[in-house]
Amino acid sequence: MKKVVSILFVLLIFLGISVFSQVEITMWFHSGRGEEREVIEDQVKRFNAMQNEVKVIAIQLPEGSYNDQVNAAALAGDLPDVLDLDGPFVSNYAWAGYLRPLDEFMSSELKQDFLPSIIAQGTYNGKIYALGTFDSGLALWGNKALLGKANVRIPKNVEDAWTFTEFMDVLRRLKELPEVTYPLDLKANDRGEWYTYGLSPFFQGFGADLIDRETYMSAEGILNGPEAVAAASWLQALFEQGFVNSNPPGYNVEFLNGEIPLEWAGHWEYPQGKGALGDDLVLIPAPKFFKHVSGMGSWAWAITTNSKNPEASWKFLEFLLKPEEIVKMSNANGAVPSRYSAIELSELYKVGGPLNIYVQQLNTIALPRPVTPGYPTITLAFQDMIGNLIRGADVQEILDRAVRVIDQDIESNQGYPIY
Amino acid sequence: MKKAEKSRKKIYKQRGFKQALPFLLPASILLFVFLIIPFFFAFYLSFTNTRLISPIPPRFVGFSNYVRMLGDDLFGKALLNNFYFVAIVVPLQTIFALFLAILVNQKIKGSTTFRTIYFLPTVTTMVVVAVIWTFLYHPEGTINAILSFITFGKWEPIDLLNTERIAFPAIMLLSIWQGVGFQMLIFLAGLQEIPESLYEAATIDGANKWKQFIYITLPQLKNTSIFVIISTTILAFKLFDQVYIMTSGGPNYSTYTVMLHIYNQGFRMQNVGYASSLTVIFFLIILGFSLIQRIFLREEREVF
């Protein structure tokens, strides 16, 4: 009896110590798609079970108002230790002093293992503030059967991409097919960040941009110059001349039904597209306009300056950023693994894999959305502009307005000086 | 009558402010914390260049936010849209609500069912309503299908929410449909307050239904109508949910409203200082509008 009691006593002390030495960290993440959420929940559970030094308490917040909630929490000084942020917003939080640089935790081998796009999107003023477990891929999804009917060449890799004239020729030929309602889908109803993420590469392809990337001080002549006017007019004509539906009834129904042969969309369409079209689903690299550009950037993890336990927080991020964990996430949501060592492990993304084109794009032609604290206004102005563009507004007028809004914001924030 | 009045006054004198205070306190604290402090705070912020999150300490900028407003054509456009919305929705919704209230006030079987049906849209969240109506208004949606059916296919489907002239009236229609139940209920309460004896007397005097409506129902409903008109006006000025969800203010700002502008400036562009100055001016405009309404529609009140 005595023995049992003393064993119990020792056990109790042991438990007590382990509980005491355990560090608790809180983590916020946006509730994305179901599969993504499940993987994160599972990762947190396994991380908490495999060691007893750090305990992660995960809280998910709805995606639609995620930024608003993070802003509010930042103002109130209530940010968690770890949170995920949409890539282009990182610089705004970093500028405001809410994020902790991650450089001290990263070895140079680790840094070099990440895709250049991940580093580019997470870096503000020379320091890395956020690291994603995945990046996004933006290109064309095609319906092989319909493309074959129209006798269209399907590019195999990024160098081989359609040129502008070839792309327009493809659209014209596809439009003539009787079963096709519209040759291309641009997700015109997916207002919000999609407009900037998905459609600004077309502007950059024409040689325009959202802002002067040398100084980040003005959009004058960049977003309303002749290149921008050309891009906007071309885009507007696509809608006006019936190449693209300005109000598609669903998100991707017509593409999955085989009524639309081409869809300009992200990697996230892969699981559904594969299910509906099977082997007819084909990934086509972004067409090469006057400049060859595609989009990039996705949600990334950051540690806040509010955190009292940055080391413990990094331990958790280190776990999430392990190649095996990255692949688990990538397999669930179809996104591009953020590390080369993870890409090698991924059936989808390794050389020869069905989605390898995204990796090629991210290595060569992907351009981050402007890395500046003024991004929230830039994207809103651009979204507004696209919304009016699709509905047939005067091109020069709406471009000038967008430039005015962006420049005024930069001015009233004193040019976003580095603090 | 006089005697009663006198004794009433006495009671009020006896039970003074001290007794009233505990009853006033809870509501006053809530009003103070959630309405009055934020209002003065907004007033203060409107003279600064505060950004939602920023490492730069905010500083006073005097009236420059207000000056900036003068050159803000979107604010002007939004304000005009708000007035347009109020001018159409308030009279239509009030008349329609009165009409429905009279209908469901008839003493026939099943009127309770109709009351419930008319009230249903009001208890449904606006967000849900807006999403559903977005589908109804779609070129391949129900409304275009019905129009096409009754014109034997001659109707060319139009994209109602993406057509500049039609988008706002379409949103007005849905707003009236959603809001009318609430006003109907208030009118119904007003109708049931009217003593039956007035109608009986009128019937004996040979007044027909129309005359009864003009000379009894309407005057008796005066206070109710004033309440309905003023509250509908204020609600109409606050138009946000529908336009935010259905059009984001488009096409070409034809459904852009002041609330949407304030939200975009304050939260999405993080321009809190400027957004605050917009709210201050918007508040003054609504206040002025309500005061004018008050002068023209004086309530008849029993004053003790």
Side-chain angles (χ1 to χ4, degrees), chain A residues 79-95:
Chain A
L79 282 177
D81 299 272
V82 174
L83 80 172
D84 75 339
L85 295 168
D86 198 0
F89 290 89
V90 168
S91 43
N92 185 27
Y93 290 108
W95 173 69

Side-chain angles (χ1 to χ4, degrees), chain B:
Chain B
M1 192 66 187
K2 262 192 174 171
K3 232 184 191 176
E5 222 168 81
K6 255 188 189 168
S7 64
R8 234 194 234 167
K9 267 187 185 164
K10 233 182 180 177
I11 290 169
Y12 280 107
K13 262 186 193 162
Q14 280 168 358
R15 299 185 188 163
F17 187 64
K18 262 186 202 163
Q19 278 78 9
L21 198 66
F23 293 98
L24 272 173
L25 213 57
S28 310
I29 290 174
L30 290 177
L31 275 175
F32 198 72
V33 172
F34 291 107
L35 278 172
I36 295 169
I37 292 183
F39 175 74
F40 283 105
F41 198 53
F43 193 70
Y44 160 77
L45 285 175
S46 73
F47 292 103
T48 69
N49 66 348
T50 309
R51 193 176 187 264
L52 192 58
I53 60 168
S54 168
I56 306 171
R59 60 189 170 87
F60 275 94
V61 291
F63 282 92
S64 75
N65 281 332
Y66 291 92
V67 173
R68 180 178 158 187
M69 218 179 291
L70 295 175
D72 187 352
D73 63 329
L74 277 190
F75 177 60
K77 194 154 194 169
L79 203 59
L80 276 181
N81 280 339
N82 266 108
F83 275 105
Y84 176 34
F85 187 82
V86 168
I88 303 286
V89 166
V90 172
L92 280 184
Q93 192 170 332
T94 311
I95 291 168
F96 194 43
L98 180 61
F99 174 72
L100 285 183
I102 290 168
L103 269 188
V104 299
N105 198 32
Q106 307 298 319
K107 287 176 188 66
I108 45 170
K109 260 191 190 169
S111 65
T112 327
T113 320
F114 282 103
R115 275 177 214 177
T116 320
I117 290 172
Y118 296 147
F119 195 61
L120 267 180
T122 307
V123 278
T124 315
T125 317
M126 185 46 107
V127 178
V128 179
V129 171
V131 171
I132 293 170
W133 278 70
T134 309
F135 292 131
L136 294 181
Y137 280 143
H138 192 271
E140 288 169 34
T142 319
I143 290 178
N144 271 304
I146 291 171
L147 288 172
S148 161
F149 179 76
I150 53 175
T151 54
F152 302 105
K154 273 189 189 146
W155 176 264
E156 285 282 323
I158 45 172
D159 198 345
L160 293 153
L161 288 176
N162 283 322
T163 309
E164 214 172 313
R165 286 240 182 108
I166 304 172
F168 211 23
I171 287 177
M172 290 173 186
L173 180 70
L174 128 101
S175 308
I176 293 173
W177 175 81
Q178 199 263 354
V180 79
F182 178 65
Q183 273 81 344
M184 175 198 80
L185 212 67
I186 298 169
F187 272 128
L188 194 62
L191 281 175
Q192 293 179 346
E193 283 277 288
I194 303 173
E196 198 57 37
S197 55
L198 292 177
Y199 291 106
E200 281 162 10
T203 317
I204 292 165
D205 289 343
N208 61 20
K209 283 273 170 201
W210 176 244
K211 286 212 159 143
Q212 286 181 17
F213 174 73
I214 297 286
Y215 294 108
I216 299 174
T217 313
L218 278 187
Q220 290 285 324
L221 281 179
K222 192 173 177 194
N223 286 351
T224 319
S225 311
I226 290 167
F227 173 76
V228 168
I229 289 171
I230 291 180
S231 63
T232 316
T233 308
I234 292 171
L235 283 176
F237 269 121
K238 292 205 299 194
L239 178 63
F240 177 78
D241 303 21
Q242 299 94 304
V243 288
Y244 177 70
I245 290 165
M246 299 173 81
T247 61
S248 308
N252 206 10
Y253 303 106
S254 61
T255 59
Y256 203 67
T257 66
V258 178
M259 289 301 269
L260 199 58
H261 194 47
I262 293 171
Y263 170 79
N264 280 341
Q265 288 291 339
F267 286 97
R268 301 196 54 196
M269 299 192 187
Q270 312 196 355
N271 224 326
V272 175
Y274 183 56
S276 301
S277 65
L278 286 171
T279 54
V280 169
I281 292 297
F282 193 46
F283 164 77
L284 291 177
I285 290 171
I286 297 180
L287 184 73
F289 199 78
S290 310
L291 285 178
I292 294 170
Q293 273 188 336
R294 284 238 155 214
I295 292 166
F296 281 104
L297 312 162
R298 209 166 293 147
E299 255 175 282
E300 283 168 9
R301 269 181 205 254
E302 263 189 67
V303 185
F304 1 88

Side-chain angles (χ1 to χ4, degrees), chain A residues 100-113:
Chain A
R100 191 188 173 92
L102 302 175
D103 302 72
E104 55 173 301
F105 302 115
M106 292 175 72
S107 65
S108 62
E109 294 103 68
L110 180 63
K111 233 179 252 181
Q112 274 158 18
D113 196 31

Side-chain angles (χ1 to χ4, degrees), chain A residues 234-384:
Chain A
W234 170 76
L235 207 54
Q236 198 171 44
L238 284 185
F239 289 98
E240 271 169 8
Q241 297 174 7
F243 285 101
V244 185
N245 189 352
S246 64
N247 191 357
Y251 183 71
N252 52 11
V253 194
E254 290 160 299
F255 178 71
L256 299 180
N257 284 346
E259 291 165 30
I260 289 187
L262 282 177
E263 168 182 59
W264 178 248
H267 64 263
W268 53 86
E269 293 288 280
Y270 178 69
Q272 254 190 317
K274 192 79 191 162
L277 298 177
D279 287 341
D280 273 342
L281 182 77
V282 54
L283 180 61
I284 300 165
K288 183 179 180 174
F289 286 12
F290 310 98
K291 241 176 96 185
H292 202 179
V293 178
S294 178
M296 55 167 268
S298 195
W299 291 79
W301 296 100
I303 299 175
T304 67
T305 43
N306 208 27
S307 173
K308 290 190 184 67
N309 301 300
E311 284 81 19
S313 304
W314 173 253
K315 225 171 218 169
F316 176 59
L317 289 198
E318 220 174 10
F319 172 76
L320 291 181
L321 292 167
K322 273 187 186 171
E324 312 87 70
E325 296 301 326
I326 289 177
V327 171
K328 259 181 206 139
M329 177 54 96
S330 164
N331 285 341
N333 68 359
V336 192
S338 62
R339 293 175 64 175
Y340 288 116
S341 51
I343 289 171
E344 279 166 27
L345 297 175
S346 162
E347 287 300 314
L348 293 173
Y349 283 98
K350 65 180 187 194
V351 178
L355 303 181
N356 184 260
I357 282 175
Y358 285 140
V359 180
Q360 298 171 26
Q361 288 196 156
L362 289 172
N363 274 328
T364 52
I365 60 165
L367 190 67
R369 283 159 278 175
V371 183
T372 161
Y375 184 75
T377 298
I378 295 176
T379 185
L380 185 66
F382 189 79
Q383 288 166 28
D384 243 29

